[in-house]
Amino acid sequence: DLFSLSLVVDLIGHRYYTGGPIPTYISVYINAAALCGTVPGQLVFGWLGDKMGRKRIYGVTLLLMVFCSLASGFTFGKSNYKSVVITLCFFRFWLGVSIGGDYPLSATIMSEYANKKTRGAFMSAVFAMQGFGNVVAGLVGMITSQVFRKSSPGNIDVVWRIVLMFGAVPALLTYYWRMKMPETARYTALIAKDANMAAADMSAVLSMHIVPEEDNLGSHDQYGLFSSEFRQRHGLHLLSTTVCWFVLDVTFYSLNLCMKDIFTTVGLLKGHDDEVCKVNTCQVARYHKADNPFQRTIDITAVHMAIAAGCTLPGYFFAVAFIDRIGRVKIQLLGFTMMTVFQLCLAIPYDKWLECNNNKYGFAVMYGFI
């Protein structure tokens, strides 16, 4: 859901902006709308998960995700680009709110179910699914564009809407199993104070009989997120974790959302119109308006899938396999070090990478290492 729009934004530009590239500020608006929604979504739904239970709120985020994915494809005004962009941004924002809620709740539920020995692997596996979603987004975009490749340009509207609406399918398929999950015993016992229900839920999950121990319910520490006790115990942990997430996401989302533009600049993807890129007296030809817009989308999704499947997924599953052996901090330091080194290798000799379009594949490999 987060990256599918960046794959079809060219089609929206071709459909509503007379065959030319979509204005940069419009592209930024519609790409950023969902990310703007994730921030309040994480905070609000994370808070509600503590107040009303993980399972209940988990279902709410999923239903909102389904509705907003479908609504993104039913944006109003087929001929008025302003109406399309405004309604698309509106529904993408609320889609982001639902995704933002899903992030902390899925992580919380898994952390409260997993045992200590393999908790790292289970948590890593939860986030590794984002890599699969990234691949599926590219696959759906490629297949849909291929189906309509020889059709009239009027079908551009159909293609980009199908790609965005497909995000509702896996969410809807997940809803049944999500509702069959019991509430986590940690919430039921420590927050809802229902030891019998917690024991019954854990008995079902573990396929063994567990006896409730009501005497222990009041013995756990209770303190708020903004309390002085929390700051003393976990303030540094929270600050360190949030800063690491922020730094990672600046890189991760930038490289995914801007991949099309970066690879067009270095010549791995053809550009728009009949513009010519002149770098050190070498000219990189761009494709013309008459060329097939669906073919460009196929090329964009192919590159997106290659990076996601060949580079991102192996990184995820390296963490899944080794996080409980090597340790969380060491793997994180390894990841940040590699990101730093390879980004510097792209940024410092950037003009060399652009020379005569000869180094585009090396650039892509280095990009994948990041």
Side-chain angles (χ1 to χ4, degrees):
D1 278 324
L2 286 177
F3 300 123
S4 58
L5 186 59
S6 65
L7 303 178
V8 295
V9 70
D10 265 30
L11 290 179
I12 297 174
H14 199 282
R15 169 68 177 82
Y16 295 103
Y17 294 90
T18 62
I22 189 169
T24 301
Y25 72 96
I26 297 293
S27 177
V28 169
Y29 286 158
I30 59 180
N31 272 312
L35 293 179
C36 291
T38 58
V39 179
Q42 288 168 338
L43 297 173
V44 171
F45 283 117
W47 176 75
L48 288 174
D50 282 337
K51 296 294 181 183
M52 303 174 65
R54 286 80 160 107
K55 175 185 173 180
R56 182 188 299 181
I57 303 303
Y58 207 27
V60 171
T61 64
L62 204 54
L63 290 178
L64 183 61
M65 201 181 301
V66 170
F67 173 78
C68 292
S69 293
L70 294 175
S72 296
F74 287 106
T75 47
F76 313 124
K78 291 187 68 174
S79 59
N80 187 336
Y81 75 91
K82 289 184 179 179
S83 298
V84 170
V85 169
I86 290 171
T87 55
L88 181 58
C89 287
F90 175 81
F91 289 122
R92 290 285 297 178
F93 172 84
W94 287 105
L95 177 66
V97 170
S98 66
I99 295 170
D102 212 69
Y103 256 105
L105 287 171
S106 58
T108 300
I109 288 172
M110 180 51 68
S111 68
E112 293 183 351
Y113 268 124
N115 61 65
K116 292 181 180 180
K117 186 176 180 181
T118 57
R119 180 173 292 144
F122 276 107
M123 289 288 293
S124 301
V126 167
F127 287 96
M129 293 304 106
Q130 187 176 43
F132 281 113
N134 221 344
V135 173
V136 171
L139 190 62
V140 171
M142 178 180 289
I143 292 173
T144 310
S145 300
Q146 184 64 43
V147 169
F148 288 91
R149 189 169 67 88
K150 296 183 179 180
S151 65
S152 68
N155 286 321
I156 285 177
D157 254 329
V158 179
V159 172
W160 72 261
R161 293 172 191 271
I162 288 176
V163 173
L164 296 188
M165 292 170 68
F166 191 85
V169 175
L172 194 59
L173 291 174
T174 309
Y175 183 75
Y176 171 78
W177 285 281
R178 217 172 254 198
M179 291 299 96
K180 295 288 285 184
M181 290 171 54
E183 183 59 84
T184 68
R186 190 178 182 89
Y187 174 85
T188 307
L190 302 183
I191 300 178
K193 304 292 187 183
D194 190 338
N196 291 317
M197 180 60 72
D201 289 342
M202 288 306 295
S203 296
V205 171
L206 300 176
S207 300
M208 59 183 292
H209 181 64
I210 294 180
V211 179
E213 298 182 22
E214 299 200 30
D215 292 341
N216 292 332
L217 292 185
S219 62
H220 296 274
D221 295 320
Q222 299 290 333
Y223 44 82
L225 175 63
F226 300 106
S227 65
S228 58
E229 189 172 358
F230 176 84
R231 285 198 303 272
Q232 293 171 5
R233 293 184 179 215
H234 302 296
L236 184 59
H237 300 151
L238 178 64
L239 177 64
S240 303
T241 305
T242 51
V243 168
C244 287
W245 264 113
F246 173 77
V247 173
L248 170 71
D249 282 347
V250 168
T251 304
F252 180 72
Y253 287 100
S254 297
L255 293 185
N256 274 281
L257 293 173
C258 302
M259 189 184 301
K260 166 184 65 72
D261 303 304
I262 295 172
F263 282 164
T264 299
T265 302
V266 300
L268 199 68
L269 290 171
K270 293 179 180 179
H272 279 286
D273 306 329
D274 53 357
E275 55 184 327
V276 174
C277 176
K278 296 181 179 180
V279 183
N280 292 353
T281 72
C282 295
Q283 295 185 343
V284 182
R286 305 302 197 189
Y287 88 103
H288 296 262
K289 291 179 182 178
D291 283 7
N292 193 325
F294 299 119
Q295 184 59 53
R296 173 162 164 83
T297 303
I298 292 171
D299 295 340
I300 291 170
T301 52
V303 170
H304 177 90
M305 285 176 60
I307 295 293
C311 305
T312 311
L313 276 180
Y316 277 124
F317 285 100
F318 173 86
V320 173
F322 293 103
I323 193 167
D324 287 315
R325 302 183 198 177
I326 299 177
R328 288 83 157 117
V329 175
K330 288 181 181 178
I331 285 188
Q332 193 172 42
L333 287 174
L334 175 64
F336 277 122
T337 300
M338 289 178 64
M339 286 163 57
T340 302
V341 170
F342 290 123
Q343 281 184 303
L344 289 175
C345 289
L346 288 184
I348 294 174
Y350 184 66
D351 290 339
K352 296 292 182 182
W353 286 114
L354 296 182
E355 277 185 4
C356 302
N357 199 24
N358 290 330
N359 302 319
K360 57 186 179 182
Y361 297 111
F363 184 95
V365 171
M366 196 76 74
Y367 199 94
F369 279 135
I370 301 175

